Amino acid sequence: MLRNIFMATAALCFAGGALMTAPPRADDIAERARKLHLSSIVVDTHDDTTQRLLDGDFDLLPRNGSGSIDIPRMKEGGLAAIFFSIWIPSKINGSEAVKHALDQIDAVREQMRRHPTETTLATTAAEIREARKNGKIAALMGVEGGHMIASDLGVLRSYATLGVRYMTLTHSGNDEWADSSTDKAVHNGLTDFGKNVVREMNRLGVMVDISHVSDKTFYDALDVSRAPLIASHSSCRAICDAPRNMTDQMIKDLAAKGGVIQINYHVGFLSQEFRDAEKADPEINKAISAEVQKRCGEKEGCQLIEGDKITREYVEKGKLPRVDWTKIIEHIDHAVKVGGVDHVGLGSDFDGANMPYGMEDASKLPKITEALLRKGYSEGDVKKILGENTLRVMTEVERVSREMNAAR
Ligand SMILES: [Zn+2]
């Protein structure tokens, strides 16, 4: 015992000067964090504000009293690039799904057209850096769910032409060619056509996103894809046992092929306690859904925003546990320990999920930088997590695309 204590002390001392010198004052870290955050390229790979645009009464330019995203709050939070999700529920498919997707792509592009001083549409890592230099927020698009291509590679190509730069292979239900993590497996992962979708995405330079997919679909995509994959909005299953979070082994395997897991801030994916409470009383979710329906009808954007609000009301009443934003840091730190600091990023799920206390909107993002510095992360490593890792994957995906096109 004594010997162990001695060895531990010796090891600590040996670990070097950093531990022996006075720790930096809290204020120093806060100031360093602020500067670091504002000089970094912060990229968020998943945001559901698109649904609000479709409701018809929302615009990105003014500060909004509800939700998480608008131009003033993105600026305040130092958000340099944001991927707007193009999403409709898995139950809608075929040509109806394509029509919805095109409407959403148009709605995002229209916002960029209306606000050219503040934003710009970007499709490459270089364009994100350029936008940043020009003081503009870079807007990108990801299609969330392969059902929206209606099993047609021509539709996928059209989306790419319009600027879509990732596609999540499934949403919460299976599509015609891939199994979802939250549906009964029917394809044993990716079908042959599904594998062709991945190959075509590689050629087009559209990132392959494995958030939402079943574990087998993930491994099939990892096997087929020539470019690194992303998990645009997933967290760690070791901390919160949600089927659409990633196991440690999956994080390691994703990282080994150069990919990035972008941590999702949704309380039901961050906190086991929250998940257990939801499971223990299914009536709560039913009541929340009924209230959402009452307030919003069929307006999807409204539903997502009100769902978050009503969930908070249940937390305030003590019916669901309160989840703090620091849980995000716990997941980031876990993913870094498992997969390495080059393979973790941010994918908030803002305006589409229930946000933890202290991370209500994009203006709160600098807290992540400060928390990581306080944990002892180097400035270079923090920059990687904030956005450089995602930019690296984009660059690599673009390189693979060029290579495949040249080979034809
Ligand atoms: Zn999602």
Side-chain angles (χ1 to χ4, degrees):
M1 190 67 185
L2 269 175
R3 185 168 167 269
N4 283 348
I5 289 170
F6 169 75
M7 283 180 71
T9 313
L12 269 175
C13 294
F14 187 70
L19 281 171
M20 305 305 284
T21 53
R25 287 203 326 271
D27 289 354
D28 292 344
I29 295 184
E31 180 54 17
R32 203 151 64 83
R34 201 187 60 80
K35 279 192 189 144
L36 173 63
H37 191 86
L38 295 178
S39 68
S40 300
I41 298 188
V42 183
V43 183
D44 182 346
T45 47
H46 197 84
D47 171 85
D48 282 308
T49 313
T50 318
Q51 302 299 324
R52 302 193 84 184
L53 300 175
L54 267 283
D55 280 358
D57 50 5
F58 178 85
D59 190 274
L60 280 174
L61 190 62
R63 196 182 183 93
N64 283 268
S66 66
S68 304
I69 292 289
D70 48 45
I71 289 166
R73 287 183 290 174
M74 286 194 276
K75 275 189 179 166
E76 240 173 80
L79 189 54
I82 180 167
F83 279 82
F84 288 105
S85 170
I86 307 301
W87 167 82
I88 51 148
S90 308
K91 61 176 190 275
I92 301 172
N93 45 45
S95 53
E96 196 188 346
V98 177
K99 163 76 173 119
H100 279 276
L102 290 173
D103 286 347
Q104 293 182 28
I105 291 169
D106 178 61
V108 172
R109 295 182 62 111
E110 276 297 285
Q111 283 290 309
M112 304 315 117
R113 186 177 68 79
R114 272 185 232 156
H115 310 306
T117 314
E118 296 81 8
T119 62
T120 184
L121 194 73
T123 56
T124 63
E127 284 173 10
I128 292 177
R129 292 188 196 280
E130 184 65 21
R132 177 54 192 258
K133 247 189 244 159
N134 298 329
K136 295 183 188 189
I137 295 166
L140 298 99
M141 291 179 285
V143 165
E144 186 179 14
H147 57 298
M148 276 178 277
I149 64 166
S151 296
D152 185 340
L153 293 180
V155 174
L156 170 65
R157 288 189 281 271
S158 297
Y159 291 162
T161 303
L162 289 170
V164 168
R165 282 302 174 267
Y166 77 69
M167 183 166 78
T168 321
L169 299 180
T170 73
H171 189 244
S172 53
N174 299 334
D175 48 44
E176 301 89 337
W177 42 269
D179 286 333
S180 166
S181 60
T182 43
D183 201 350
K184 196 173 172 304
V186 294
H187 303 301
N188 188 29
L190 282 177
T191 65
D192 287 344
F193 177 75
K195 290 174 186 172
N196 281 338
V197 172
V198 169
R199 290 183 192 106
E200 189 64 352
M201 288 170 75
N202 286 164
R203 189 188 67 78
L204 291 165
V206 173
M207 290 187 282
V208 177
D209 176 22
I210 55 78
S211 282
H212 283 289
V213 307
S214 74
D215 293 8
K216 179 63 165 57
T217 302
F218 161 70
Y219 278 107
D220 284 355
L222 194 68
D223 186 45
V224 172
S225 180
R226 284 176 60 172
L229 311 182
I230 58 166
S232 72
H233 59 309
S234 293
S235 300
C236 306
R237 214 183 291 173
I239 300 176
C240 179
D241 190 20
R244 71 177 277 334
N245 280 346
M246 296 185 80
T247 65
D248 286 358
Q249 192 58 51
M250 287 163 80
I251 295 171
K252 275 183 201 154
D253 295 335
L254 176 86
K257 283 196 142 181
V260 173
I261 172 174
Q262 285 100 353
I263 299 298
N264 187 318
Y265 311 166
H266 173 57
V267 290
F269 302 149
L270 290 177
S271 161
Q272 189 64 45
E273 195 196 352
F274 190 92
R275 223 180 144 67
D276 290 345
E278 269 186 321
K279 256 197 204 152
D281 190 354
E283 292 307 313
I284 292 182
N285 268 342
K286 275 190 208 155
I288 292 175
S289 299
E291 182 60 25
V292 164
Q293 196 66 34
K294 208 171 102 190
R295 292 189 195 180
C296 301
E298 294 308 309
K299 285 184 160 186
E300 299 268 12
C302 171
Q303 289 179 2
L304 296 168
I305 303 296
E306 288 302 317
D308 186 27
K309 255 192 228 166
I310 299 164
T311 303
R312 284 225 167 177
E313 291 165 18
Y314 275 77
V315 174
E316 299 296 337
K317 282 187 243 167
K319 291 185 175 171
L320 285 170
R322 182 189 152 111
V323 180
D324 202 60
W325 70 277
T326 51
K327 207 74 189 157
I328 299 167
I329 306 300
E330 207 183 300
H331 280 259
I332 291 174
D333 196 45
H334 180 82
V336 166
K337 281 183 181 131
V338 171
V341 75
D342 293 323
H343 304 285
V344 183
L346 307 176
S348 67
D349 224 345
F350 276 141
D351 285 346
N354 304 328
M355 290 297 119
Y357 280 77
M359 194 51 68
E360 288 78 8
D361 61 49
S363 73
K364 310 285 197 292
L365 289 168
K367 290 160 102 173
I368 294 177
T369 298
E370 187 172 335
L372 291 174
L373 282 183
R374 285 189 197 285
K375 257 191 166 318
Y377 279 69
S378 72
E379 294 195 3
D381 285 350
V382 174
K383 274 179 182 280
K384 286 180 181 179
I385 294 164
L386 291 176
E388 290 297 333
N389 287 338
T390 297
L391 291 168
R392 184 201 69 234
V393 171
M394 288 181 74
T395 306
E396 182 59 14
V397 167
E398 291 158 19
R399 190 191 64 74
V400 169
S401 164
R402 278 196 304 273
E403 214 176 82
M404 287 174 78
N405 282 316
R408 291 199 168 204

